[in-house]
């Protein structure tokens, strides 16, 4: 038998509490729209700071949604449509939370937006667990507003759109569900949010047990399929770790024989002066020629052809080595 709730008066002091969360969380989401559209055009694929490149940065260590991210960065037109849609949704959710309009639906939207951010970018953060904290914060605050509604100081409380919309605005849950059902739903949601928080904290950062790790701290480039192709050494490379705000700078490439002796070198000037056609980028984030070598943005995947100025006997060349400006090196044996 359903046990009815006793609804709190609209002006009960607890009905003012949601405002504390609504305004700030609403601005966090709305500001994403505001800075990409009003302050700077971050939706232009040709502009510096294009949001699609930031999305590409999520790719290397995303959880569960990596195949979706990879498909989008391989298809720039579809990526742009999704970035525009995502930005509009963030703007609408944020504005509605600030106003307290359709608060329960907006809270649910905020939860799913935050979950997407968490799964895609929860591993990023150079000085702190930045994106992970933003993701879990968004999930729990969105869930809270789903249950609480907008409170007394909300448009939901002023507008009367009929029972059809009442639940998705800030209607009293007790009118539809029993005390025991709501209690169970809150407990299940709380435990689920805690499980997501602990699970992603451990997966991305080792933050629950074992050794802490930070994949944003040091650059890492993975090399594949290195071989001789006519007068070039060709290989595939993707940058999978390191800070997302600027690239890894490769200032030297070397060929070594089986004993580790260097038999050929491309210095920073030779790398910088290569033809841009020697780089075949696969994603939106692109490996580029810089003033002092090759620049690898986070998540960029490219096939690169290093020109040989003198003949090298392929049987003597055993290993290709790349060196970053920090002194880190990555190597691969040639086929």
């Amino acid at each position: 038998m359903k046990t009815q709730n006793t609804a709190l008066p609209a002006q009960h002091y607890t009905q003012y509490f949601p405002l504390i969360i609504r305004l700030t969380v609403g601005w966090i989401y709305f500001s994403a729209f505001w800075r990409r559209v009003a302050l700077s055009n971050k939706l232009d694929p040709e502009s510096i700071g294009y949001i699609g490149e930031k999305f590409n940065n999520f790719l290397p260590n995303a959880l569960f949604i990596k195949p979706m991210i990879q498909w989008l960065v391989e298809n720039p037109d579809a990526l742009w449509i999704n970035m525009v849609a995502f930005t509009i949704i963030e703007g609408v959710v944020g504005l509605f939370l600030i106003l307290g309009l359709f608060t329960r639906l907006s809270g649910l939207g905020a939860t799913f937006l935050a979950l997407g951010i968490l799964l895609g970018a929860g591993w990023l953060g150079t000085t702190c667990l930045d994106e992970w904290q933003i993701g879990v914060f968004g999930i729990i605050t969105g869930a809270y507003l789903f249950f609480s509604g907008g409170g007394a100081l909300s448009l939901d409380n002023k507008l009367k759109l009929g029972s059809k919309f009442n639940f998705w605005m800030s209607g009293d849950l007790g009118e539809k569900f029993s005390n025991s059902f709501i209690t169970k739903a809150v407990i299940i949601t709380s435990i689920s949010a805690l499980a997501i928080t602990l699970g992603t904290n451990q997966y991305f950062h080792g933050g629950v047990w074992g050794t802490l790790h930070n994949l944003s701290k040091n650059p890492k480039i993975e090399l594949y399929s290195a071989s001789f192709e006519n007068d070039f050494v060709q290989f595939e490379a993707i940058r999978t770790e390191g800070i997302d705000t600027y690239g890894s700078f490769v200032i030297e490439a070397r060929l070594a024989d089986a004993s580790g002796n260097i038999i050929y070198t491309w210095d920073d000037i030779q790398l910088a002066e290569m033809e841009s056609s020697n780089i075949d980028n696969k994603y939106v984030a692109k490996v580029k020629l810089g003033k002092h070598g090759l620049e690898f943005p986070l998540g960029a995947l490219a096939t690169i052809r290093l020109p040989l100025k003198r003949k090298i006997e392929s049987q003597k060349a055993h290993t290709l080595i790349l060196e970053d400006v920090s002194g880190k090196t990555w190597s691969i044996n040639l086929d």
Side-chain angles (χ1 to χ4, degrees):
M1 181 177 177
K2 179 179 175 180
T3 304
Q4 293 291 337
N5 288 304
T6 302
L8 291 172
Q11 301 305 316
H12 191 274
Y13 68 88
T14 58
Q15 296 299 299
Y16 295 95
F17 292 172
L19 184 67
I20 300 172
I21 295 179
R22 267 185 30 230
L23 296 182
T24 301
V25 174
W27 172 252
I28 289 174
Y29 284 99
F30 183 77
S31 68
F33 169 87
W34 185 251
R35 65 178 178 268
R36 292 174 203 159
V37 176
L39 301 183
S40 178
N41 187 3
K42 294 181 178 291
L43 293 175
D44 180 0
E46 303 301 323
S47 69
I48 297 176
Y50 171 47
I51 188 62
E53 291 190 24
K54 176 69 175 177
F55 188 71
N56 196 159
N57 295 158
F58 299 169
L59 175 64
N61 298 289
L63 178 61
F64 300 133
I65 62 173
K66 187 173 181 177
M68 180 196 73
I69 296 176
Q70 182 173 350
W71 185 85
L72 286 172
V73 298
E74 288 175 342
N75 296 273
D77 291 341
L79 173 65
W80 180 81
I81 292 172
N82 276 268
M83 292 299 96
V84 171
F86 193 83
T87 297
I88 293 173
I89 292 170
E90 283 186 302
V92 171
V93 166
L95 182 62
F96 278 22
L97 287 178
I98 291 171
L99 298 175
L101 179 62
F102 285 97
T103 306
R104 187 161 285 127
L105 180 61
S106 299
L108 187 64
T111 298
F112 282 106
L113 287 171
L115 182 61
I117 293 170
L118 176 64
L119 296 179
W123 65 280
L124 291 169
T126 53
T127 58
C128 194
L129 312 186
D130 306 329
E131 302 289 351
W132 175 79
Q133 290 176 334
I134 291 171
V136 296
F137 174 79
I139 288 173
I140 60 175
T141 52
Y144 173 85
L145 290 171
F146 175 80
F147 284 104
S148 72
L153 299 176
S154 68
L155 284 182
D156 285 345
N157 191 46
K158 305 299 180 184
L159 299 175
K160 304 298 181 184
L161 300 182
S163 58
K164 182 177 179 181
F165 298 100
N166 198 34
F167 175 79
W168 293 112
M169 297 178 75
S170 296
D172 177 25
L173 289 178
E175 295 178 357
K176 290 181 105 27
F177 307 105
S178 67
N179 268 328
S180 61
F181 180 87
I182 296 173
T183 300
K184 290 176 183 177
V186 169
I187 292 173
I188 291 172
T189 301
S190 301
I191 293 174
S192 299
L194 178 60
I196 291 171
T197 299
L198 295 177
T200 54
N201 191 205
Q202 177 62 28
Y203 179 83
F204 288 131
H205 305 289
V208 181
W209 71 82
T211 304
L212 283 168
H213 56 267
N214 187 342
L215 301 181
S216 296
K217 189 174 182 180
N218 295 310
K220 179 182 178 182
I221 295 176
E222 296 181 3
L223 306 176
Y224 305 96
S225 305
S227 62
F228 279 93
E229 299 290 338
N230 298 322
D231 295 327
F232 297 87
V233 172
Q234 179 173 295
F235 64 98
E236 192 170 70
I238 181 172
R239 183 172 154 225
T240 58
E241 295 181 15
I243 190 169
D244 57 316
T245 53
Y246 57 83
S248 172
F249 302 96
V250 172
I251 60 170
E252 189 171 279
R254 302 187 288 269
L255 288 177
D257 62 20
S259 299
N261 301 309
I262 303 303
I263 60 175
Y264 197 94
T265 299
W266 296 267
D267 61 20
D268 59 332
I269 297 175
Q270 291 170 313
L271 292 175
E273 291 180 347
M274 285 196 318
E275 296 290 335
S276 59
S277 59
N278 287 352
I279 302 175
D280 180 18
N281 285 289
K282 311 298 183 182
Y283 299 155
V284 174
K286 302 183 185 304
V287 179
K288 300 177 182 177
L289 300 174
K291 290 182 65 175
H292 303 288
L294 300 175
E295 297 180 7
F296 281 80
L298 184 59
L301 171 68
T303 298
I304 300 171
R305 301 163 71 233
L306 300 176
L308 292 165
K309 300 299 184 182
R310 58 181 173 83
K311 187 173 179 59
I312 298 291
E313 294 183 27
S314 59
Q315 63 269 25
K316 288 187 177 180
H318 182 268
T319 306
L320 172 67
I321 305 165
L322 301 186
E323 182 172 342
D324 180 79
V325 69
S326 66
K328 291 183 67 67
T329 60
W330 307 278
S331 63
I332 185 174
N333 292 339
L334 280 83
D335 296 335

